[in-house]
Amino acid sequence: MIAWALAAWAAPPEATLPDHGEHVDVFAIEGHGHGFGGLGIVVHDGPTMVLEALTPAGPSLFTVRVEDGQTTIDALDEGLADFLRRLPFDRDLAALYLVDGTERLSLLGWTIVPKSDGWVIKGPKGRARVRRDGEARVLRDRLRGYTLTVRPQEQP
């Protein structure tokens, strides 16, 4: 009985996703000597996450939908769509919007390791480091050579 209780206590907590949420952030993606940014609206409802990226002028730049382990991308430009298809949005959106980094968790196959200023994600789609910089969160994927920064939109 005591061994069972100790084993249950020592097991990592089961990952839970918030049922729903909406975030409006300014984002920037930089990599391979190029960069772009805009306003990102992220909506998650259960296992579905949708990112709508808007240009500074307002039109939609691209849409990413992550659902049941599948990612679909629609973009204004096919070259941009090709670039975006190489990014693991299922990992990145979960890391930036569903994980608080205060505990070591398993979330959809990833291990989250807390650090003093953020967390490291290790798993099937590689490794990334997320750090806090004020209110911003900065995700860096060295293998793919890009950095994704999100920060809350300033209110007028």
Side-chain angles (χ1 to χ4, degrees), residues 134-153:
E135 289 197 22
R137 292 171 312 282
V138 180
L139 183 142
R140 183 164 187 201
D141 184 326
R142 289 182 189 221
L143 178 65
R144 291 175 181 84
Y146 74 95
T147 301
L148 170 59
T149 303
V150 295
R151 77 174 27 91
Q153 179 187 19

Side-chain angles (χ1 to χ4, degrees), residues 33-45:
H34 301 284
F36 63 93
L39 186 67
I41 301 167
V42 175
V43 177
H44 54 93
D45 187 14

Side-chain angles (χ1 to χ4, degrees), residues 66-89:
V66 177
E67 185 171 24
D68 297 327
Q70 299 295 317
T71 301
T72 55
I73 295 173
D74 294 314
L76 286 177
D77 177 79
E78 192 56 35
L80 175 60
D82 287 341
F83 168 75
L84 294 171
R85 285 185 189 106
R86 291 183 233 141
L87 306 182
F89 279 101

Side-chain angles (χ1 to χ4, degrees), residues 94-156:
L96 293 170
Y97 293 103
L98 300 180
V99 178
D100 66 7
T102 59
E103 299 178 32
R104 186 172 182 150
L105 299 173
S106 173
L107 178 65
L108 304 176
W110 298 296
T111 300
I112 310 302
V113 181
K115 299 291 182 183
S116 61
D117 65 344
W119 51 95
V120 172
I121 307 156
K122 299 176 184 178
K125 300 222 174 160
R127 177 185 172 119
R129 170 74 195 244
V130 179
R131 67 177 174 79
R132 295 179 192 96
D133 183 7
E135 289 197 22
R137 292 171 312 282
V138 180
L139 183 142
R140 183 164 187 201
D141 184 326
R142 289 182 189 221
L143 178 65
R144 291 175 181 84
Y146 74 95
T147 301
L148 170 59
T149 303
V150 295
R151 77 174 27 91
Q153 179 187 19
E154 292 183 19
Q155 299 299 319

